[in-house]
Structures are given as structure tokens and as C-alpha cells.
Amino acid sequence: MAEPPLRLSERGGALLEEAAERSRTSMRARFERLALAWRSLVQTAVAATVAYIVATEVVGHPRPFFAPIAAIITLGITVGQRRRRAVELALGVAVGIAIADLLVLVMGTGVAAIALVVPLAMATAVFLGSGQIFANQAAVSAVLVAVLQPPGNGLSGARFVDALIGGGIALLVNSLVLPADPLRLVRRAAEPVLDELALTLEAIAKAIEARDREQAERALLRARDLDELEDRLREAVAVSRETARFAPARRRDRGHVDLYADAAAQIDLAIRNVRVLARGAVRGARLGENLPPEVATAIRDLAEAVARLRDALAEPDRADAVRAPALRAAARATLVLEATGNLSVTVVVGQVRSTAVDLLRGSGLTYEEAAELVREAAAEVADSEL
């Protein structure tokens, strides 16, 4: 039976409204991407222009095609990769051009030239001991010369020089013209890791309270998924430290960036310990071993310490706020171990205490200071029980 015209009209209106909402969301996302990319767009424009001017006006090359090209290619990787890899890419452009110029001058253009220039350029990169980026870019640049711009009469080396100019200008522009904010980069990478770590600890605590194996297994999967966020933090730390080191306008941030870098190493250890903690919760649920509610409370204390660490990294003066919940977690866990000694409790308590040490170190303490505070907290609990 056909639907009444009114209902069809209502459905059509709903579909149009939904499509319009998707379109608005899509446009917002596009403008957000553009807002994030504006610095890179300006840097690329400046680098390509300056490279062309230097090659023409300073060095005197009439058509320095590869100077702006090398600048654009190099800046394409300095946005999110390490400086060493950007240097490799710039050198790869220059080496590929030099090899192609020499080979095409001897053999001419054609299929045979391409068949030889690609492996020769890549072999040279491998011989020089550089990475995959160097080898690939050398091959690409060599093909570009052989196919699009074969050399004229004689071997001048001008395009090799142009490529070096473009790569060098790109690295200078990346450091001097609108350099990225290293603190913002590392903070934006650290906060999601710590937020998700705190939520994972809360999920483990709930699974222990419910004595639910499926919840514990889901918490373990969640803990394993932290690796991707941790990888982003590690990369952000590397980029931020290089930016703070090489960009004069950002050197004042070096101390704060180093604080994040030191904390990132401890966050990595905490993630490993929380993963073992989740496996202990799974084991306890699977075997039906007793994990007292106080264990869940101690894990929630760890989650609070993680949240406080997030704030302390942004504002180092708040580092002391991390220590109270971390030590409380270690003390509660020790008290549980005194009363219940099955294997699952032993594993969980050990990981709670280890994670507490990691978080204390992330707040700026040395290993010796953190371990001593945890021992003192455990000793105070033991004395109070006597």
C-alpha cells in the first residue's frame, strides 16, 4: 500500500535536513583542517619563493626549476617528521638530480635511461647509508630529470645546487618563519594519552568490583589500544624538542618541553604496568580469585593521579597534587596484600605500586625519591595495623 503524500513529504524533509546537517558538519571540518594547515601553507610559499630568488638573483641560474620544488618537498615532511629525515629528503633530491644529469648526458633520454637511473640513484643512497626516504626521493628526482627536464649541453651541476638551495631554505624557513608551538604540539599529544589512561583504570576498577570477566577483558583491550596514542606522544616529543632547539623564537620553551619528554617516558612505563594490571584483573575474574573492593579503590586513586599529572604537566607548579593520590593508591594496595595473599592480588598490587612510582616520577621526582615515598606510605599502613 502506497504511503500518504504527507508522510512521503515528511520523510523527504527529514532526509533533506539530515543532508544539510552533514554538509554543515563537513564544511566545519574542512575549515578546521584549513585553520590547522595555514602555518604550513605560509611556510611553503615563503620557502619556494625565497629558494627561487636565491637561485636566480644570488647564484645566477636562469631557470632554477628544482630550487622551489626541493623546498616544497622538504617542507612537506618537516611538518610532522624529524629533522634528520627532512635533511635526508633534501639530499635525496639533490643526489637523484646529479646522477640523472650525468647518466642522461651520457646515454640520452628514453626507456633505457629510466631503467638505469632509478636503481643507480637508489643504490647510491643505500651505499651512502641513508634511509628509505633518501633512496625513494633520489629515484623520484632522477626520473623527473630523465623524463621532464633532461640536461642540455654539458654537465653544469646547476640543478644539483638548486636542489641543495631549496632544501636548505626549507629547513631555515621551518625554523625561522612561524615555527610550530612545541608546547602546544606536545600538550595536544599528551592529554589524550592521559585521559584514556585514566578511563582505562576506571574500567579496570569497575570490572574488579563487578567480578566480571567480560568487563575485565574489555578493559585489557582498552589498555592495549593505548599504544597508538603513546606513539603519537613519542613523535610529538621528538618534533617539539627539535623545534625548541632549532627555532630561536621557541627556545624559551625548552625546559617545559623537556618536562613533557621526561614524563612521556614514565607514561610509557605506566601504560605497560596498567596493561599487566588489566591482565591480573582478567586472571582473577577467570579463576574466581578474591580481589577485594579496596583494590578497585586503589586503582581509582591511580586514575586520579593520572588526571592530576595531566594538569601538572601543563602547570608544573601543581606537581605536588599528583603525589597524594599516587601514594594513597600504593598504601591501599599494600594494605590489601597484607589481608589477602592469592596470586591475582599479588600481581595487581605489584602493578599498582609500580604505576604509582611511574606517576610520581612523571611529576618530576627521581626514581629513588619516588620509590622511597612509596615505601614510606606502605610502612605507615603496616604500622597502623599493628
Side-chain angles (χ1 to χ4, degrees):
M1 183 176 178
E3 293 190 53
L6 183 58
R7 290 189 61 188
L8 287 173
S9 176
E10 289 174 351
R11 177 178 293 181
L15 290 173
L16 286 173
E17 185 177 345
E18 183 181 347
E21 179 60 29
R22 283 200 301 266
S23 177
R24 286 192 293 269
T25 302
S26 176
M27 288 302 295
R28 283 197 299 270
R30 289 174 181 146
F31 278 115
E32 286 172 1
R33 287 198 299 268
L34 191 59
L36 290 173
W38 74 270
R39 179 183 286 106
S40 179
L41 298 177
V42 172
Q43 286 183 328
T44 303
V46 170
T49 303
V50 172
Y52 183 84
I53 291 172
V54 170
T56 53
E57 303 299 327
V58 178
V59 182
H61 294 168
R63 290 187 300 169
F65 174 76
F66 282 101
I69 290 295
I72 292 168
I73 292 172
T74 303
L75 272 178
I77 198 169
T78 55
V79 172
Q81 302 290 336
R82 297 189 180 191
R83 196 175 194 83
R84 179 175 177 273
R85 296 177 70 184
V87 171
E88 282 189 0
L89 191 146
L91 291 177
V93 173
V95 168
I97 290 170
I99 291 171
D101 271 346
L102 180 60
L103 192 60
V104 172
L105 187 65
V106 174
M107 296 183 57
T109 58
V111 175
I114 295 175
L116 284 176
V117 77
V118 171
L120 184 58
M122 298 185 77
T124 302
V126 172
F127 178 77
L128 293 174
S130 298
Q132 189 66 39
I133 288 178
F134 188 114
N136 289 344
Q137 193 53 53
V140 169
S141 301
V143 170
L144 195 59
V145 169
V147 174
L148 295 181
Q149 257 203 354
N153 297 325
L155 184 65
S156 67
R159 288 188 290 198
F160 175 79
V161 174
D162 288 342
L164 290 179
I165 289 172
I169 292 295
L171 292 172
L172 283 174
V173 167
N174 188 58
S175 295
L176 301 176
V177 178
L178 299 174
D181 184 342
L183 273 180
R184 185 181 179 188
L185 281 175
V186 74
R187 185 180 296 127
R188 288 177 61 182
E191 289 179 352
V193 179
L194 293 169
D195 289 343
E196 184 59 20
L197 181 57
L199 290 172
T200 301
L201 286 164
E202 177 63 28
I204 295 170
K206 287 181 178 178
I208 289 174
E209 285 178 334
R211 301 177 184 271
D212 188 306
R213 175 178 169 180
E214 289 186 2
Q215 284 190 42
E217 289 174 345
R218 286 197 297 271
L220 176 57
L221 291 175
R222 191 167 188 167
R224 288 172 176 165
D225 288 341
L226 285 164
D227 284 345
E228 183 178 351
L229 292 173
E230 173 61 18
D231 289 342
R232 292 178 192 171
L233 174 58
R234 190 178 299 111
E235 183 65 27
V237 165
V239 173
S240 297
R241 294 187 89 167
E242 288 180 355
T243 303
R245 178 183 177 188
F246 290 106
R250 300 299 186 186
R251 285 179 183 167
R252 65 181 183 276
D253 296 325
R254 288 177 68 176
H256 202 161
V257 170
D258 286 342
L259 178 66
Y260 270 99
D262 293 341
Q266 303 311 315
I267 292 169
D268 178 63
L269 293 175
I271 289 172
R272 295 169 189 264
N273 283 321
V274 168
R275 197 172 293 130
V276 178
L277 177 60
R279 283 200 293 269
V282 170
R283 182 184 185 282
R286 182 182 297 136
L287 299 178
E289 293 185 336
N290 180 35
L291 288 173
E294 291 79 10
V295 172
T297 304
I299 293 172
R300 285 199 171 91
D301 288 332
L302 287 180
E304 181 184 346
V306 170
R308 298 287 179 85
L309 179 60
R310 179 188 190 275
D311 298 335
L313 290 174
E315 301 178 38
D317 291 342
R318 302 172 66 177
D320 286 344
V322 179
R323 293 161 195 173
L327 292 173
R328 193 163 60 243
R332 288 187 200 273
T334 301
L335 187 61
V336 170
L337 188 60
E338 294 291 331
T340 308
N342 63 60
L343 183 57
S344 294
V345 165
T346 303
V347 170
V348 169
V349 167
Q351 297 311 309
V352 168
R353 292 182 56 160
S354 295
T355 306
V357 171
D358 297 332
L359 297 175
L360 290 169
R361 293 183 66 191
S363 72
L365 298 180
T366 65
Y367 174 79
E368 290 75 16
E369 290 170 337
E372 181 60 28
L373 285 176
V374 168
R375 282 194 294 269
E376 289 176 0
E380 288 176 7
V381 168
D383 291 342
S384 65
E385 290 296 296
L386 294 178

